[in-house]
Amino acid sequence: MSFLKEILGFILERKKFYMWPVLFALLVIGGLIIWVQGSAVAPFVYTLF
């Protein structure tokens, strides 16, 4: 979680607002991988990446 706080602090302090979509995409992809890790859908999701 400290990594996430550092990234958010960097974005807000240096006004790098173009990085919001990148951070959002990383969180969505990470959440998707964690969510389907134990399900039968996992082999289909891993073929996308």
Side-chain angles (χ1 to χ4, degrees), residues 5-48:
K5 284 170 63 175
E6 283 186 41
I7 293 290
L8 288 175
F10 175 78
I11 290 173
L12 294 175
E13 183 177 325
R14 302 200 190 261
K15 309 274 190 273
K16 304 279 186 189
F17 296 116
Y18 63 88
M19 292 182 70
W20 280 114
V22 174
L23 184 63
F24 180 72
L26 286 175
L27 289 174
V28 167
I29 290 171
L32 181 67
I33 289 173
I34 290 172
W35 178 62
V36 299
Q37 188 174 11
S39 71
V41 183
F44 301 111
V45 172
Y46 289 128
T47 59
L48 295 175

